[in-house]
Amino acid sequence: MPSCSLDAICPWRFHFVFFPETERRQRGDIETERRQRDGEETWRHRDREETERQRGDMPSNRSVSDAPITQFVNCRILRDHKLQREDLWVRDGRILDPEKLFFDEQGYADKRVDCEGNIISPGFIDVQINGGHGVDFSQASEDVGRGVSIVAKKILEDGVTSFCPTLVTSPYAVYHKVLPQVKVHNGGHHGAGVLGFHVEGPFISVEKRGAHPEQYLRSFQSGGFEDLMEAYGSLDNVAMVTLAPELSGSQSVVRELCRRGITVSLGHSVANLSQAEDAVKHGASFITHLFNAMLPFHHRDPGIVGLLTSDQVPAGRRVFYGMIADGIHTNPAALRIAHRAHPSGLVLVTDAIAAMGLPPGRHTLGQQVIEIQGLHAHIAGTKTLSGSIASMDMCVRHFKQATGCSVEEALEAASLHPAQLLGISHRKGNLDYGSDADLTLCDDALNIKATYISGEEVWRKQP
């Protein structure tokens, strides 16, 4: 018989409905095909294993794991950069390979979830969020963890399953008090997981400080990395640091941070392209909110923006860049330019502040007073932008509308790309077999319907 793929001969393999007689006949037909495809030697080995199982010498399917198996049906899943009509299988908080489950373990679903034709995307990851719902992460308190937990719970509604609480430039005492209080931890019904802090400042440019208070800015003076440790106190719970690469002594700091597994981002900077390229060669891999708080693009020296098309990025490396796609921080034309120049590096961030989810009025961002008018957040009494009040799902929708990108590209900019940036794409940001079952269920308009962490529903939109 001519060779053909398993998908062709087994189109039902992701939609198992178990009728004993029919299932046995189908299994026999499929095993014949699989023997022809995989070779008799492989199947003789499998037959020996099956005989041992029946004798009790090997574990049965249920002894592999007693955890229940959940099957998500009637859905399109984002896998391998495209939406595919397949079911999604989950056990022990991870995504299962249904072929191995069915043929090797003779497994079955304990629970089925009807997705009603909606899209399953990897859960969103926000690597720059300053707070929200009345909580400012840069305000030291006796119980910083409680504030982080409030935001973590609320952003489940936005499809976010993991995030990096972000601290803006602050007095050293704030870093010393806040950073030790919030540990990296997994998400769940209590809220989105914490991947570590993103510390934005104080080692940034005075000229491009934006909403960062000038009196707390610092440079690398005595020993570079020693200055940074004096400021932060500890790096135990830090995932990312934003700094200005033109500061004297910054390159040794970039090297040491990267050596410790901390992502280095370039931002709030007047660096030229050469300085930015040097930082990348030393390990920097991210640009904090592209176009904002940096030199504008110039055709003779494009500055940090030029990293998107630089030929000096080391082989095998990729520079990622954050975009605040809230319709305020970046003109749609600029958003399109960035996306078309370097689509695989675009990471959607909210840069949300305490006022996200609150009515217009005055709120705080670190040591500054912020005034909210409509969708704009400014330092009170000025026209200086100071973070956003956009949620991640709003950014995903605006990004798609403004750039004309595909649904897949919009979803991956909020999931796969941030996971790749942080070096965690082996377990988050995708729906590969073995990855964490952190999921966002949305409709074709990218409105969030439900959020899952480790395969468990943690939020659902009420009818």
Side-chain angles (χ1 to χ4, degrees):
M1 137 175 223
S3 62
C4 55
S5 70
L6 183 61
D7 285 340
I9 63 175
C10 188
W12 46 266
R13 67 187 181 113
F14 298 116
H15 308 275
F16 304 137
V17 179
F18 291 94
F19 300 100
E21 289 301 323
T22 301
E23 185 264 322
R24 277 195 292 271
R25 287 195 300 270
Q26 288 176 328
R27 181 176 294 174
D29 293 342
I30 297 307
E31 286 191 1
T32 299
E33 295 291 345
R34 281 162 60 89
R35 285 177 184 271
Q36 293 175 351
R37 184 192 69 185
D38 298 341
E40 285 298 323
E41 180 58 37
T42 298
W43 277 85
R44 277 195 292 271
H45 175 72
R46 292 181 183 178
D47 288 343
R48 285 195 297 272
E49 288 186 341
E50 180 59 27
T51 299
E52 291 173 349
R53 282 193 188 94
Q54 292 175 359
R55 289 203 315 254
D57 297 335
M58 292 185 68
S60 68
N61 169 52
R62 300 315 293 174
S63 65
V64 169
S65 173
D66 289 329
I69 296 170
T70 301
Q71 178 188 9
F72 293 84
V73 301
N74 190 16
C75 54
R76 290 161 290 158
I77 67 174
L78 178 57
R79 180 177 286 154
D80 296 329
H81 315 295
K82 58 183 180 292
L83 293 178
Q84 305 182 36
R85 282 202 171 274
E86 294 183 5
D87 294 352
L88 191 74
W89 297 71
V90 174
R91 179 173 62 193
D92 281 325
R94 294 180 181 273
I95 297 170
L96 286 175
D97 180 346
E99 186 173 327
K100 290 183 177 179
L101 172 68
F102 183 62
F103 289 109
D104 297 345
E105 299 184 26
Q106 288 79 53
Y108 54 87
D110 299 285
K111 175 184 176 183
R112 303 178 84 214
V113 177
D114 185 355
C115 299
E116 300 178 343
N118 288 305
I119 296 168
I120 295 181
S121 163
F124 298 156
I125 300 171
D126 194 351
V127 301
Q128 186 174 7
I129 173 172
N130 309 287
H133 305 279
V135 175
D136 180 357
F137 298 145
S138 297
Q139 289 289 325
S141 71
E142 296 304 320
D143 190 5
V144 174
R146 180 176 178 275
V148 171
S149 295
I150 290 171
V151 176
K153 183 72 171 178
K154 293 296 291 184
I155 60 179
L156 295 175
E157 303 174 13
D158 311 326
V160 176
T161 55
S162 301
F163 69 113
C164 293
T166 303
L167 303 184
V168 297
T169 295
S170 303
Y172 287 5
V174 170
Y175 298 123
H176 296 173
K177 188 165 191 175
V178 172
L179 290 176
Q181 290 194 50
V182 181
K183 312 293 185 184
V184 175
H185 62 264
N186 293 325
H189 290 279
H190 58 275
V194 172
L195 299 172
F197 279 100
H198 176 176
V199 189
E200 186 184 5
F203 301 98
I204 58 175
S205 164
V206 173
E207 296 95 318
K208 292 296 180 181
R209 64 186 182 276
H212 293 242
E214 182 176 356
Q215 66 268 34
Y216 300 120
L217 299 184
R218 294 292 181 266
S219 58
F220 301 112
Q221 294 182 353
S222 60
F225 193 74
E226 289 76 10
D227 295 313
L228 181 139
M229 291 303 297
E230 181 185 358
Y232 299 157
S234 170
L235 293 171
D236 289 347
N237 301 317
V238 174
M240 184 187 303
V241 171
T242 290
L243 54 77
E246 72 275 13
L247 296 181
S248 178
S250 65
Q251 303 304 350
S252 64
V253 174
V254 171
R255 280 198 307 272
E256 181 60 21
L257 286 170
C258 293
R259 189 187 71 80
R260 294 175 179 233
I262 295 172
T263 300
V264 175
S265 184
L266 311 179
H268 288 277
S269 166
V270 293
N272 57 37
L273 178 57
S274 178
Q275 291 168 323
E277 288 173 334
D278 284 345
V280 170
K281 290 173 183 176
H282 285 94
S285 57
F286 192 49
I287 304 171
T288 296
H289 44 52
L290 185 74
F291 298 126
N292 291 275
M294 61 188 62
L295 291 177
F297 179 89
H298 190 281
H299 59 284
R300 281 192 286 273
D301 190 338
I304 290 178
V305 177
L307 288 174
L308 271 64
T309 58
S310 172
D311 60 0
Q312 297 301 303
V313 177
R317 294 269 309 283
R318 188 192 319 178
V319 174
F320 294 88
Y321 59 97
M323 294 296 298
I324 311 171
D326 62 350
I328 305 296
H329 279 78
T330 307
N331 185 279
L335 189 54
R336 287 191 291 272
I337 289 171
H339 176 246
R340 292 173 189 177
H342 185 26
S344 66
L346 194 149
V347 175
L348 290 174
V349 300
T350 61
D351 199 19
I353 63 173
M356 178 181 69
L358 299 181
R362 292 201 166 196
H363 307 276
T364 62
L365 175 60
Q367 312 305 306
Q368 303 276 35
V369 176
I370 306 303
E371 190 164 8
I372 304 300
Q373 294 180 332
L375 296 176
H376 294 76
H378 296 109
I379 296 177
T382 76
K383 291 299 180 182
T384 301
L385 284 172
S386 52
S388 82
I389 57 174
S391 59
M392 182 58 82
D393 59 320
M394 290 172 57
C395 290
V396 171
R397 289 191 295 271
H398 178 74
F399 171 56
K400 181 181 182 300
Q401 184 273 326
T403 63
C405 72
S406 66
V407 167
E408 292 91 338
E409 288 177 302
L411 293 171
E412 288 189 340
S415 55
L416 176 62
H417 296 176
Q420 292 172 330
L421 164 68
L422 294 174
I424 58 174
S425 58
H426 59 288
R427 58 189 177 91
K428 294 189 184 294
N430 60 72
L431 302 182
D432 294 343
Y433 304 140
S435 291
D436 294 346
D438 295 350
L439 317 171
T440 297
L441 185 70
C442 62
D443 62 20
D444 287 341
L446 302 180
N447 298 301
I448 308 302
K449 298 297 185 180
T451 304
Y452 294 79
I453 293 180
S454 297
E456 296 291 329
E457 182 179 294
V458 292
W459 178 83
R460 177 169 290 275
K461 184 177 178 62
Q462 298 303 311

